[in-house]
Amino acid sequence: MKIDINNAGCEFVKAILKLYRSERYSREREILASKMLTSALDAGSHITELGVCPESHEDGIARKAMEELSRAMFVLKVMRDDKIYSQRRVEPIISLGSTVKQLIELYYNDESKLPPVQLPQSAAPQIEQKSTVPDLGGFDEIYTGKY
């Protein structure tokens, strides 16, 4: 199946749900699994919203989606490192998450396209001129304990 912005959120959530349902958790592992699932659901919601939102809102929604997706991926990697999930089972989701991140990045507004802001001459920062006269105040001398 080809992943695009219209189905990326749902596909990511389905992959997380499949992994989530495959285990039985102790209390602390259940907390991690719930955080992963919550972040994945939020990310999926924001990703799906990207496909239908006005262009003026894309940047903000893309950043929210990326934040939640990154959070879900972080918890997933923590659970893999803690041996809750095996590398074999986590690798397809990490790959899917990377693909989805690339899709989301396309919706970021590129600030480099904006013209540079010209400050009026009075608002430009003043550059302080450094003195070329050597300091004869004794700062570099060895302290002997006297004033």
Side-chain angles (χ1 to χ4, degrees), residues 16-75:
I16 291 288
L17 275 173
K18 183 178 178 183
L19 187 66
Y20 177 81
R21 291 178 180 153
S22 68
E23 290 290 328
R24 290 181 184 231
Y25 305 101
S26 61
R27 180 69 183 138
E28 65 274 358
R29 290 178 173 182
E30 176 62 31
I31 292 169
L32 282 173
S34 294
K35 287 189 181 293
M36 178 185 64
L37 183 60
T38 301
S39 294
L41 287 169
D42 290 343
S45 171
H46 292 304
I47 294 165
T48 303
E49 189 177 350
L50 271 176
V52 296
C53 74
E55 192 173 326
S56 61
H57 294 118
E58 285 178 351
D59 186 63
I61 294 171
R63 292 185 190 283
K64 289 178 190 175
M66 187 66 81
E67 181 181 324
E68 292 299 329
L69 180 63
S70 295
R71 185 174 288 131
M73 297 297 291
F74 172 74
V75 176

Side-chain angles (χ1 to χ4, degrees), residues 79-133:
M79 294 178 81
R80 177 201 60 200
D81 293 346
D82 197 35
K83 307 282 190 254
I84 297 170
Y85 300 127
S86 68
Q87 175 69 26
R88 178 186 57 83
R89 294 177 63 211
V90 169
E91 191 58 41
I93 299 173
I94 291 174
S95 176
L96 177 61
S98 296
T99 302
V100 173
K101 280 185 177 185
Q102 291 173 353
L103 286 173
I104 293 170
E105 287 173 351
L106 297 175
Y107 287 86
Y108 282 171
N109 289 338
D110 189 9
E111 284 82 24
S112 64
K113 294 178 184 175
L114 298 175
V117 176
Q118 295 293 328
L119 294 175
Q121 190 68 345
S122 62
Q126 299 296 324
I127 299 173
E128 183 180 317
Q129 295 292 332
K130 293 191 175 192
S131 173
T132 58
V133 178

